[in-house]
């Protein structure tokens, strides 16, 4: 490919991107006018850098990265740089694996290989609809085929209901599970709809091989046989929510096709990725698209669904589009709950456990302090601890606030000495640096005075560890 | 004597009490039994064999007499046997859930497990319903094991988890020496808090403030088992579970309303007899000491003790001399908090295969517990999506356990 050609292509991409990002802003500006709210001003460069680094790579920027960016604050270039990092693929893989699977290994399946596999998919920019198809149709042993871990996780007793509930919540953003025992309380979904949806998985079985090993198969006999759920009292033939019925016995293949070509699938992933960047879905919670829970900006949602289809379900391209918008780059300062809900100001949102650990890791420079192997162990230990309350939970809504009083207690006792054995840094710290490292900004005069007063009776290390517990550090904003 | 409503209405308040006292019917209008103020759940994780504990069956299990003429229990629980006048056994617990995680959820929330839907646990409901005052001392504490959350009831009703009492105490002592850090956080937080009016930020502020405030409550002292005499500590058993039970009593004295203490090791798919015997050696002194101690301290009337696990075990032994999961007919034991002791609810016939009398469902057990607390068990909540969630699923309070 000639040099000029690639320049042209890049120019064209930039133009298209600019158009998409502008449209996001245009849609929302209309909404803000309608609701008579004023949007916040643009974020500071330090604020933007911290936010976008957390959203795209799951950690905070280093002090050097901050210095370099403040010198040359090219936001679009920074976004491209972050999206190209291996860390970005790893972070997206972790987010998707947690939302799809949960934290703890279950039913002899394993999340680890699923995460690694997802990372590979993001590395090669595999379209999301293809990733989902691979998940939905996975068969064979989970050692050879990592997506089989996901199917096995939701087939605890070889019954299709659990996987149907998870699929509807995760890939369509619909809580079809309510229709399991009775017709859905507010929506049009009936019990029959639910079991007909589940019936696509009636032939799928999970065979136990050994501890941690299962095999997923489809049984032709079960595919042909009628599926008679106890709750329904009659047979439920496979039928998608839009009425589509399979023409063959390859039920899961047909299901994947029905699902990924449905517009609600595009809406759901567009909304999920929006939630990833804003801490709040346009429909929120993201797994509750419902007549009783309308989108706060319906036109924007439809626009984003169009965009993700146009981008051929390329997750990173879509994230590039969102993070380049003015809306994403607004400040969080001066925010309030009403404007947060309308995206007229950047929201204050919790870090996930993975983000907390990575941020702590960056702040304490664990690799340098402990060596790679030991650092990995410490990260794992802290990560497990941070997840302990949610280890069993469904994490479809990944970015919810999960900290407990026990977590705060523990974090307040964190001691750099105990974690690293060496204190925070070998080199000299001062108040300004502590603020830059942890909060990407300089302290105000008042803050500086409070810190200096604290330091009369405590070490700079203690100051550092205390600020690791500040709200400002504990949230993305 | 017939006391018509009309007759009563004709009397003034003072007149009535005088009348009632004269006729010895004062307790007609007193509460029919003491109300529960707290509950201690002894959680037998893995699913305890009912057949080798509170519903002894078959030739392989020797049963012994207890303080209640109604009840015989397995010989591996000799000290518990002496306390059975204060505890009742439900032998007719029945459910359909034989998977550990799903059944554990069922027995903690009173509702069948549904993937992806969180329901509040019994501990969170007690914490929420017991008082509308702000939570200072954690009302719901788990010692070891499970920590089922508050779902939509609010974070402050979630479990305070104590994995190791000594460690928790150390943590609080460290925090005590770090009050300056809380002060600094509060000072430095002001600018950020002022610039951001956010619900989540307020929640976290609440957490940090509650953590700081906790240091001034009786809670840290309650965690300190060293305050107990050696004799008391020995009586409960010098092991995790025994000391956990002792801690539960101390926490209840300190204002905690729901404590779960876990004893694991009940998933006896192999060598059932030996493993159960081992577990009973830990369980027996702890449960007996707890009941005695609560009674001695006049806490038993207000503290319900509830022994249970996620399901029972199969009446027939498998090829490995083990017992497998059996939710169809299993046992739970409870007393205190106004629950009369010495009674048996239900039966499982000659071989323990089926409930033959007075079946009790998991929601029935929950309804009975909440009813003793004096809660309105028909109450309905709304979850975050606005759907109605009943405090208890369809159920009835166990009649045989009315005072």
């Amino acid at each position: 490919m000639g040099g000029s050609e690639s320049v042209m292509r890049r120019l064209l991409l930039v133009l298209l991107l600019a158009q998409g990002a502008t449209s996001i802003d245009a849609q929302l500006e209309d909404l803000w006018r309608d609701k008579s709210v004023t949007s916040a001003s643009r974020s500071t460069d330090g604020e933007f850098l911290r936010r976008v680094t957390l959203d795209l790579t799951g950690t905070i920027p280093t002090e050097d990265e901050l210095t370099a960016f403040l010198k040359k604050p090219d936001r679009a270039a920074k976004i491209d740089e972050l999206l190209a990092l291996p860390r970005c693929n790893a972070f997206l893989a972790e987010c998707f694996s947690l939302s799809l699977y949960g934290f703890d290994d279950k039913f002899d399946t394993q999340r680890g290989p699923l995460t690694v596999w997802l990372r590979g998919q993001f590395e090669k920019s595999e379209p999301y609809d293809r990733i989902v198809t691979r998940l939905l149709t996975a068969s064979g042993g989970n050692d050879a085929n990592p997506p089989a871990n996901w199917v096995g996780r939701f087939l605890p007793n070889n019954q299709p209901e659990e996987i149907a509930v998870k699929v509807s919540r995760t890939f369509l953003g619909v809580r079809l599970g309510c229709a399991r025992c009775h017709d859905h309380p507010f929506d049009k979904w009936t019990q029959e709809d639910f079991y007909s949806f589940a019936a696509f998985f009636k032939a799928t079985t999970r065979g136990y091989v050994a501890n941690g090993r299962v095999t997923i198969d489809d049984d032709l006999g079960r595919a042909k046989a009628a599926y008679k759920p106890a709750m329904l009292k009659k047979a439920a033939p496979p039928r998608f929510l839009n009425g589509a019925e399979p023409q063959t016995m390859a039920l899961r293949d047909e299901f994947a096709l029905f699902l990924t070509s449905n517009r609600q699938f595009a809406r759901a992933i567009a909304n999920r990725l929006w939630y990833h960047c804003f801490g709040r879905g346009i429909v929120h919670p993201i797994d509750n698209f419902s007549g009783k829970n309308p989108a706060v900006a319906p036109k924007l949602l439809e626009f984003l669904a169009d965009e993700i289809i146009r981008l051929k379900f390329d997750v990173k391209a879509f994230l590039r589009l969102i993070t380049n918008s003015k809306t994403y780059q607004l400040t969080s300062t001066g925010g309030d709950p009403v404007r947060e809900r309308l995206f007229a100001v950047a929201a204050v949102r919790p870090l996930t456990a993975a983000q907390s650990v990575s941020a702590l890791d960056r702040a304490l420079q664990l690799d340098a302090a402990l060596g790679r192997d030991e650092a990995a162990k410490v990260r794992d230990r802290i990560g497990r601890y941070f997840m302990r309350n949610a280890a069993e939970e469904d994490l479809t809504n990944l970015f919810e606030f999960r900290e407990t009083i026990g977590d705060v207690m523990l974090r307040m006792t964190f001691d750099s000495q105990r974690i690293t054995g060496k204190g925070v840094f070998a080199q000299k710290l001062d108040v300004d640096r502590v603020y830059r490292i942890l909060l990407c900004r300089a302290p105000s005069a008042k803050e500086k005075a409070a810190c200096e007063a604290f330091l009369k009776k405590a070490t700079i290390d203690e100051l550092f560890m205390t600020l690791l517990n500040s709200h400002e550090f504990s949230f993305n904003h | 004597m017939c006391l018509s409503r009309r007759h009563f209405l004709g009397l003034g308040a003072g007149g009535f009490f005088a009348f009632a006292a004269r006729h010895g019917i004062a307790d007609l209008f007193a509460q029919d039994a003491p109300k529960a103020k707290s509950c201690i759940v002894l959680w037998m994780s893995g699913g305890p064999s009912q057949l080798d504990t509170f519903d002894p069956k078959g030739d392989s299990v020797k049963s012994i007499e207890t303080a209640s003429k109604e009840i015989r229990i397995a010989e591996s629980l000799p000290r518990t046997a002496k306390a059975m006048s204060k505890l009742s056994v439900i032998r007719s617990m029945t459910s359909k859930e034989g998977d550990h995680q799903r059944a554990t959820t069922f027995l903690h929330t009173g509702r069948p497990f549904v993937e992806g839907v969180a329901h509040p646990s019994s501990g969170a409901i007690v914490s929420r319903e017991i008082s509308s005052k702000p939570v200072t001392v954690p009302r719901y504490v788990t010692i070891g094991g499970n920590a089922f959350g508050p779902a939509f009831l609010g974070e402050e009703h979630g479990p305070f988890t104590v994995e190791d009492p000594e460690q928790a105490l150390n943590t609080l002592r460290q925090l005590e020496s770090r009050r300056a850090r809380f002060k600094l956080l509060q000072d430095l937080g002001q600018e950020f808090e002022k610039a951001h009016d956010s619900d989540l930020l307020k929640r976290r502020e609440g957490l940090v403030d509650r953590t700081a405030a906790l240091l001034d409550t009786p809670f840290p002292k309650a965690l300190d088992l060293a305050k107990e005499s050696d004799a008391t500590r020995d009586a409960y058993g010098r092991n995790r579970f025994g000391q956990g039970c002792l801690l539960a009593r101390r926490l209840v004295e300190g204002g905690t309303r729901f404590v779960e203490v876990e004893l694991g090791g009940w998933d006896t798919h192999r060598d059932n007899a030996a493993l159960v015997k081992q577990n009973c050696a830990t369980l027996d002194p702890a449960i007996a000491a707890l009941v005695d101690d609560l009674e001695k301290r006049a806490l038993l009337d207000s503290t319900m003790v509830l022994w249970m696990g996620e399901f029972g075990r199969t009446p027939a032994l498998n090829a490995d001399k083990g017992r497998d999961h059996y939710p169809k007919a299993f046992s739970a034991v409870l007393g205190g908090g106004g629950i009369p002791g010495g009674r048996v609810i239900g039966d499982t016939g000659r071989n323990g295969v089926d409930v033959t009398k007075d079946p009790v469902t998991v929601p029935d057990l929950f309804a009975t517990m909440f009813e003793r607390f004096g809660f309105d068990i028909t109450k309905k909540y709304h979850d975050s999506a606005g759907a109605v969630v009943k405090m208890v699923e369809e159920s009835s309070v166990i009649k045989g356990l009315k005072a």
Side-chain angles (χ1 to χ4, degrees):
Chain A
M1 190 189 287
S4 63
E5 209 179 325
S6 94
V7 168
M8 281 300 290
R9 256 193 63 172
R10 170 140 178 89
L11 208 74
L12 195 69
L13 271 176
V14 167
L15 278 173
L16 275 173
L17 177 72
Q19 216 181 3
T22 316
S23 297
I24 291 176
D25 301 320
Q27 304 275 359
L28 282 170
E29 276 155 21
D30 286 347
L31 176 73
W32 299 332
R33 205 172 307 118
D34 283 354
K35 304 268 179 189
S36 320
V37 300
T38 45
S39 69
S41 52
R42 193 170 191 249
S43 53
T44 64
D45 290 329
E47 186 184 5
F48 167 78
L49 181 69
R50 187 177 194 271
R51 182 189 307 160
V52 77
T53 308
L54 275 166
D55 282 339
L56 298 183
T57 67
T59 189
I60 53 172
T62 63
E63 199 184 3
D64 291 345
E65 284 167 7
L66 176 68
T67 312
F69 184 70
L70 293 182
K71 223 174 265 170
K72 187 169 173 270
D74 182 339
R75 295 190 179 191
K78 188 63 181 181
I79 291 167
D80 287 343
E81 180 196 320
L82 293 171
L83 284 169
L85 289 175
R87 194 184 268 280
C88 172
N89 300 320
F91 176 59
L92 290 176
E94 177 71 9
C95 289
F96 273 84
S97 122
L98 287 170
S99 306
L100 291 170
Y101 185 100
F103 184 79
D104 268 353
D105 288 353
K106 284 276 159 65
F107 307 125
D108 287 299
T109 63
Q110 297 172 33
R111 184 169 71 91
L114 182 69
T115 313
V116 173
W117 177 79
L118 282 165
R119 194 171 68 207
Q121 306 304 301
F122 289 119
E123 268 162 19
K124 56 181 181 186
S125 292
E126 184 75 353
Y128 174 72
D129 55 341
R130 299 243 304 258
I131 297 177
V132 173
T133 299
R134 290 278 303 276
L135 287 166
L136 289 169
T137 60
S139 56
N142 63 333
D143 47 351
N145 187 21
N149 284 296
W150 179 78
V151 176
R153 161 71 180 80
F154 294 99
L155 277 180
N157 26 10
N158 286 335
Q159 292 298 317
E161 291 92 357
E162 297 293 331
I163 196 162
V165 170
K166 185 64 184 175
V167 166
S168 72
R169 292 183 74 192
T170 313
F171 301 132
L172 292 172
V174 177
R175 292 184 180 175
L176 216 50
C178 302
R180 194 172 167 160
C181 314
H182 44 73
D183 291 351
H184 196 288
F186 337 115
D187 282 319
K188 57 183 179 176
W189 313 122
T190 62
Q191 215 177 355
E192 201 174 333
D193 289 331
F194 171 74
Y195 287 104
S196 299
F197 185 86
F200 283 95
F201 298 92
K202 67 178 179 178
T204 313
T205 58
R206 182 184 67 119
Y208 173 84
V209 179
N211 250 352
R213 282 186 55 204
V214 295
T215 173
I216 305 298
D217 291 301
D218 291 280
D219 181 277
L220 194 60
R222 281 173 67 138
K224 285 181 179 161
Y227 162 55
K228 287 184 189 154
M231 294 292 289
L232 196 62
K233 296 177 183 103
K234 61 175 176 177
R239 195 183 62 229
F240 199 70
L241 295 174
N242 60 3
E245 286 172 7
Q247 302 302 309
T248 69
M249 284 295 135
L251 297 179
R252 288 197 286 152
D253 296 277
E254 298 225 26
F255 180 86
L257 195 68
F258 293 152
L259 179 91
T260 56
S261 56
N262 191 288
R263 185 164 177 86
Q264 182 58 25
F265 176 76
R267 278 191 207 108
I269 182 61
N271 192 50
R272 170 185 294 276
L273 293 171
W274 183 271
Y275 170 61
H276 183 106
C277 295
F278 289 87
R280 201 176 167 84
I282 299 166
V283 169
H284 192 83
I286 61 166
D287 59 343
N288 194 23
F289 279 76
S290 149
K292 276 272 171 81
N293 185 36
V296 65
K299 279 193 218 149
L300 174 64
L301 183 63
E302 293 311 319
F303 169 75
L304 292 173
D306 286 340
E307 283 299 287
I308 201 153
I309 293 168
R310 184 179 65 77
L311 292 168
K312 298 195 165 41
F313 290 100
D314 180 334
V315 167
K316 282 192 279 180
F318 189 75
L319 289 171
R320 177 181 287 117
L321 177 78
I322 294 180
T323 49
N324 271 292
S325 68
K326 271 195 224 159
T327 305
Y328 176 79
Q329 298 183 13
L330 295 176
T331 183
S332 67
T333 303
D336 58 71
V338 173
R339 291 196 303 155
E340 266 190 11
R341 269 195 290 282
L342 299 171
F343 311 109
V345 64
V348 172
R349 51 213 162 91
L351 303 183
T352 64
Q355 283 174 320
S356 297
V357 176
S358 298
L360 196 83
D361 181 20
R362 269 272 164 104
L364 293 171
Q365 300 193 339
L366 290 181
D367 274 343
L370 300 171
R372 287 177 77 102
D373 290 350
E374 190 56 32
K377 273 187 222 156
V378 169
R379 267 195 296 273
D380 197 53
R381 206 179 66 218
I382 301 176
R384 187 152 278 285
Y385 196 88
F386 279 15
M387 269 321 281
R388 75 201 157 115
N389 298 310
E392 297 268 329
E393 262 177 51
D394 181 281
L395 298 172
T396 304
N397 301 302
L398 185 62
F399 295 89
E400 298 308 293
F401 188 85
R402 295 192 167 84
E403 212 172 343
T404 65
I405 193 165
D407 296 336
V408 171
M409 276 174 54
L410 188 91
R411 289 176 201 195
M412 284 297 282
T413 62
F414 268 172
D415 197 310
S416 58
Q417 203 72 29
R418 233 180 30 202
I419 296 175
T420 67
K422 296 180 189 160
V424 179
F425 289 105
Q427 66 262 60
K428 251 187 108 56
L429 276 178
D430 57 36
V431 175
D432 286 331
R433 269 200 75 194
V434 171
Y435 265 79
R436 271 205 309 279
I437 292 168
L438 295 179
L439 305 174
C440 287
R441 66 176 178 91
S444 72
K446 221 174 126 192
E447 287 169 334
K448 204 163 174 176
C451 289
E452 299 294 355
F454 177 78
L455 286 174
K456 289 202 177 105
K457 286 184 192 159
T459 65
I460 189 91
D461 235 56
E462 287 177 68
L463 176 73
F464 190 92
M465 295 312 291
T466 306
L467 276 175
L468 267 179
N469 271 301
S470 62
H471 303 314
E472 193 171 348
F473 183 80
S474 307
F475 285 106
N476 190 3
H477 40 81
Chain B
M1 173 176 158
C2 171
L3 296 177
S4 74
R5 181 175 156 80
R6 219 181 125 84
H7 188 147
F8 273 128
L9 288 174
L11 296 162
F16 165 66
F17 283 114
F19 169 86
R22 215 165 42 238
H23 291 83
I25 54 164
D27 60 352
L28 198 73
F29 278 73
Q31 289 191 324
D32 52 354
K35 286 272 184 253
K37 287 184 187 155
S38 319
C39 178
I40 298 173
V41 169
L42 308 178
W43 180 258
M44 303 295 113
S45 123
S49 169
Q50 71 284 11
L51 305 145
D52 303 274
T53 53
F54 292 98
D55 192 7
K57 289 269 150 75
D59 303 332
S60 60
V61 188
K62 231 180 123 188
S63 67
I64 52 173
E65 286 185 349
T66 72
S68 162
K69 267 185 252 163
E70 310 285 315
I71 312 174
R72 291 181 74 85
I73 63 175
E75 65 169 346
S76 48
L77 297 168
R79 294 190 51 189
T80 308
K82 294 190 181 124
M84 288 314 289
S85 55
K86 293 153 218 157
L87 298 169
S88 291
V89 183
I90 305 170
R91 287 183 171 147
S92 51
M93 292 297 304
T94 181
S95 107
K96 285 182 180 148
E97 191 51 78
D99 170 81
H100 287 293
Q101 183 210 351
R102 298 164 58 92
T104 301
T105 305
F106 194 14
L107 272 291
H108 278 81
T109 62
R111 273 163 246 272
F113 174 87
V114 180
E115 182 71 45
V117 180
H119 285 119
S121 55
S122 44
I125 291 175
V126 167
S127 168
R128 157 76 175 257
E129 295 298 326
I130 203 94
S131 159
S132 55
K133 285 185 200 148
V135 178
T136 48
V137 169
R139 289 183 191 154
Y140 167 24
V141 176
T142 66
I143 303 170
N146 297 298
F148 279 82
F152 46 81
L153 291 184
E155 183 278 331
E156 70 271 31
H157 301 296
F160 186 100
T161 54
V162 177
E163 264 135 76
D164 171 6
E166 224 167 293
Q167 204 185 334
L169 183 62
N170 278 341
T171 301
L172 281 164
R173 285 199 175 128
Q174 277 182 44
L175 292 179
E176 180 63 44
S177 69
R178 285 177 184 182
R179 282 181 187 254
R181 291 195 186 188
F182 281 103
K183 172 82 172 49
L184 181 70
L185 267 192
Q186 279 154 352
D187 288 351
L188 292 182
Q190 283 172 11
E191 286 184 30
F192 188 73
E193 285 159 27
K194 223 178 276 166
H196 298 86
D197 173 10
S198 145
D199 295 338
L200 292 181
L201 181 61
K202 286 196 190 95
R203 250 174 94 174
R204 193 169 191 279
E205 282 170 44
L207 282 183
V208 174
D209 292 347
R210 269 200 294 132
T211 308
L214 190 62
L215 299 174
D216 298 318
T217 68
F219 189 72
K221 215 172 132 192
L223 283 174
D224 191 358
L225 290 172
K227 297 258 187 289
E228 295 288 333
S229 71
D230 273 350
T232 305
R233 295 191 72 174
D234 291 345
Y236 278 84
R238 292 275 187 169
N239 52 64
R240 247 176 95 90
F241 179 71
Q243 299 301 297
C245 288
L246 174 55
L247 178 59
R249 189 219 83 209
R250 289 182 62 85
L251 291 173
V252 164
E253 285 173 315
T256 297
R257 300 314 194 96
F258 195 99
V259 191
E260 174 173 322
V261 194
E262 187 186 63
L263 176 61
W266 291 99
D267 197 17
T268 51
H269 290 286
R270 290 165 171 276
D271 291 329
N272 174 73
L275 290 173
V276 167
K277 206 173 157 194
Q278 201 178 312
N279 292 337
C280 284
T282 309
L283 173 66
D284 187 45
I287 195 169
L290 178 64
V291 171
D292 286 351
D293 209 4
L294 287 171
E295 190 178 39
K296 240 187 287 169
R297 291 164 185 264
L299 285 169
L300 192 59
D301 279 348
S302 61
T303 309
M304 189 185 299
V305 176
L306 171 56
W307 175 96
M308 62 180 177
E310 61 262 43
F311 37 61
R313 315 294 304 183
T314 43
L317 288 173
N318 65 23
D320 295 320
K321 293 184 182 147
R323 294 191 194 274
D324 300 319
H325 304 177
Y326 201 67
K328 200 173 167 191
F330 63 106
S331 299
V333 178
L334 69 172
I339 300 276
R343 298 188 187 177
V344 175
I345 307 297
D347 195 356
T348 55
R350 261 170 67 92
N351 50 17
V353 172
D354 290 297
V355 169
T356 55
K357 199 179 124 195
D358 302 336
V360 174
T361 66
V362 174
D364 292 343
L365 183 64
F366 274 62
T368 305
M369 179 203 300
F370 293 150
E371 196 259 353
R372 288 312 322 143
F373 271 95
F375 302 159
D376 169 14
I377 57 175
T378 63
K379 183 167 174 172
K380 289 172 179 145
Y381 302 112
H382 291 272
D383 73 7
S384 49
V388 171
V389 180
K390 293 182 205 157
M391 184 192 285
V392 197
E393 296 283 270
E394 201 166 307
S395 58
S396 43
V397 173
I398 304 166
K399 287 195 190 71
L401 289 179
K402 289 199 170 148

